[in-house]
Amino acid sequence: MALARCCNAPSFLFTTKRNTPAGTKLRYEVDTSGILPITSEVFKMFPDDMPYSKSQYKKCAVIGNGGIIKNTKCGKEIDSADFVFRCNIPPINEKYSADVGTKTDLVTINPSIITERFQKLEKWRRPFYEVLQNYENSSVVLPAFYNTRNTDVSFRVKYMLDDFESPQGVYFFHPQYLLNVQRFWAVQGVRAKRVSSGLMLVTAALEMCEEVHLYGFWAFPMNPSGIFITHHYYDNVKPRPGFHAMPHEIFNFIHMHTRGIINVHTGPCT
């Protein structure tokens, strides 16, 4: 499969002791002049190997945060998947769980969320810790090596969860993996400053899972029935323009759906 050749999520999705030995120099994804020496202090934060490489999951659900998932009652179906991916710590409380479910095996966090909502964890850390408790034992994944600004704040998440003796694993995307994913999708017509977190997770799921089901992925103000929907299922805040190429991503998903590669859910679950 082309993805295994270009990206190899089972070996390179996260930065590990195996793929990034101590003493190496890690090149950032976009700050190409930026290089992070892997000191023993940094090295000990990495897992020995990819935590998911051994088993392939049968049915995976990747949950986008689009308003299209509202009022679908897909929560039970989502929670029945063997592995559930979520993006950017979205709310999964009682108000939303009937539509979006609660099971989470892996959740991404964009460091900008920590900077804007939690003061970079430089002050009180408990509010952020309590948000993460909603995801119980799920792994937390951050793009620590996207640029030099992301590194310290991403490392703080690891320090904080270790200080609170949390069982949650904290992992950092491998910058070369993300670069390869970006190149892979550019060839498919998704030319953006950056692919979205959702597309990164869908790409990983395609390698890790036999069946990939997408919920909450949509980039248009109306659903397929022509009814207006909010941008996210929990608010109507629009994204920064020109950063992601969401319509191109969705067109690719629909194309893959028609070819039977993935299952895109855009209506209610029965």
Side-chain angles (χ1 to χ4, degrees):
M1 190 179 166
L3 270 177
R5 285 198 303 276
C6 93
C7 305
N8 191 1
S11 301
F12 280 97
L13 180 61
F14 303 155
T15 313
T16 66
K17 289 188 170 100
R18 177 187 283 249
N19 63 36
T20 310
T24 51
K25 291 179 165 53
L26 192 65
R27 196 171 287 278
Y28 280 89
E29 186 188 343
V30 292
D31 294 346
T32 41
S33 56
I35 284 177
L36 181 75
I38 304 303
T39 60
S40 57
E41 168 85 5
V42 172
F43 184 68
K44 71 180 181 205
M45 285 198 267
F46 301 158
D48 292 342
D49 208 343
M50 271 291 299
Y52 311 122
S53 55
K54 304 291 175 282
S55 59
Q56 183 148 29
Y57 298 94
K58 180 153 175 37
K59 182 182 172 187
C60 294
V62 188
I63 318 305
N65 297 332
I68 191 140
I69 201 171
K70 237 175 22 188
N71 304 320
T72 57
K73 299 285 182 277
C74 285
K76 272 204 181 91
E77 196 175 294
I78 288 166
D79 288 347
S80 74
D82 299 310
F83 198 95
V84 179
F85 299 83
R86 295 185 194 270
C87 311
N88 291 329
I89 51 172
I92 52 171
N93 53 30
E94 281 169 20
K95 187 175 172 187
Y96 304 109
S97 58
D99 294 331
V100 303
T102 56
K103 178 179 170 153
T104 309
D105 294 283
L106 184 159
V107 63
T108 65
I109 307 178
N110 189 323
S112 65
I113 295 170
I114 303 164
T115 300
E116 289 156 23
R117 280 173 51 195
F118 302 98
Q119 295 80 45
K120 297 185 180 173
L121 299 180
E122 287 173 343
K123 297 181 180 171
W124 286 276
R125 296 169 307 153
R126 186 169 287 281
F128 183 55
Y129 174 74
E130 283 169 359
V131 165
L132 292 188
Q133 292 321 287
N134 296 318
Y135 304 93
E136 294 181 346
N137 294 333
S138 80
S139 300
V140 174
V141 192
L142 302 109
F145 312 122
Y146 170 63
N147 58 24
T148 48
R149 278 199 315 277
N150 280 8
T151 308
D152 281 350
V153 71
S154 299
F155 284 0
R156 271 183 217 130
V157 175
K158 170 80 174 149
Y159 299 143
M160 180 198 77
L161 286 177
D162 283 3
D163 280 351
F164 279 105
E165 297 181 351
S166 165
Q168 288 174 288
V170 178
Y171 303 113
F172 308 121
F173 282 118
H174 195 293
Q176 190 59 51
Y177 175 80
L178 297 184
L179 210 51
N180 291 345
V181 167
Q182 186 96 9
R183 286 175 186 147
F184 176 85
W185 287 108
V187 174
Q188 322 295 322
V190 181
R191 289 188 177 81
K193 272 193 181 169
R194 183 163 177 72
V195 298
S196 71
S197 304
L199 182 53
M200 286 172 200
L201 294 182
V202 172
T203 312
L206 284 164
E207 283 197 78
M208 287 166 54
C209 315
E210 285 175 42
E211 274 177 50
V212 178
H213 293 259
L214 271 52
Y215 302 84
F217 282 91
W218 201 246
F220 312 103
M222 288 180 181
N223 70 12
S225 311
I227 295 164
F228 281 102
I229 52 175
T230 54
H231 185 69
H232 295 124
Y233 67 81
Y234 46 84
D235 68 29
N236 200 23
V237 177
K238 302 288 191 288
R240 211 162 92 208
F243 200 64
H244 297 315
M246 297 306 282
H248 294 290
E249 293 189 9
I250 302 300
F251 290 138
N252 268 286
F253 293 154
I254 291 166
H255 181 55
M256 289 159 76
H257 175 85
T258 57
R259 289 163 59 206
I261 299 168
I262 59 176
N263 300 276
V264 180
H265 300 264
T266 57
C269 292
T270 45

